[in-house]
Amino acid sequence: MPVTIHEPAVPTLSEADLARWQAVPVAVAVDLARDAGQIDPAIRPLNPPGRQPRLFGRAVTARCEPPDFGAVLHALELIRPGDVLVIAAGGHAETAMIGEIVGGELRRRGGRGFVCDGAVRDVAMLASWSDFAVFTRAITPRGPASADRGAVNVPVVIGGRLVTPGDLIIGDDDGLIALTPAFLTSRIGDAEAKLVREAEWEKKLGAGCSVMETFGLAAPVVLKA
């Protein structure tokens, strides 16, 4: 069956809404949505901690049928500046779905990076782009065998999570999360409040406050030896 392409999602978040989420790290977002959006931690950033570019953008999805990567190629035509390509390859580790050439084109079109629930190659070049984030489950030198099948801009399962075109993908050194527009609108206040609370914890600890006082812990039961 040839590649099928669905109409691009209509953005439902304003740039102002997105700007507020820019300041939210993955750990804080996951704390708000433990069962809603975290993607399998086995899909890891390509760069080591401290060198990984932040991933932030709306999802354009490609559902692949490895070793075919047709959906990835067709998805490039839908990429808008700031988008994230989300490649669903079912965890297939034997065949790379994307590498330097296709990744480079994604970058030239303004893509912020990609998430691959499968394998990638040409990782030295991919990892050298400081403005482009790569998260993948596996690395392999073997390339795809065909480009004839798959689907673009459809709901996909990535690392155990449903990702719908237009969802916000956030990735950093700690991992990945996919958040729906409805969640983003309703929970941004909670995310910002948690950032304020964490800053207060750091300030109190730095000022010499006890852990019990800082975190509001109940008095423990002390047992004598």
Side-chain angles (χ1 to χ4, degrees), residues 7 13 19 24 27 33 35 99 101 129 137 142 152 160 165 172 182 206 215:
E7 289 294 325
L13 282 175
V24 181
D35 299 318
I101 296 174
W129 297 333
R137 186 180 291 276
R142 179 177 294 171
V152 177
D172 59 24
F215 293 99

Side-chain angles (χ1 to χ4, degrees), residues 39-147:
I39 293 172
D40 185 357
I43 301 177
R44 296 298 303 154
L46 191 57
N47 278 306
R51 291 175 48 197
Q52 174 62 34
R54 178 173 166 85
L55 184 63
F56 186 93
R58 298 184 182 94
V60 173
T61 63
R63 188 174 66 208
C64 296
E65 300 177 22
D68 187 282
F69 78 141
V72 173
L73 296 181
H74 284 281
L76 291 177
E77 298 291 349
L78 301 185
I79 293 293
R80 298 165 296 194
D83 284 345
V84 171
L85 179 59
V86 177
I87 303 169
H92 180 85
E94 289 75 37
T95 309
M97 294 290 97
I98 191 170
E100 175 183 349
I101 296 174
V102 176
E105 179 60 19
L106 173 62
R107 182 176 175 235
R108 279 189 291 273
R109 289 172 178 260
R112 296 290 300 275
F114 65 80
V115 177
C116 183
D117 191 357
V120 306
R121 67 178 184 178
D122 305 324
V123 293
M125 181 58 71
L126 293 175
S128 73
W129 297 333
S130 61
D131 60 346
F132 190 82
V134 173
F135 287 74
T136 187
R137 186 180 291 276
I139 297 170
T140 181
R142 179 177 294 171
S146 60

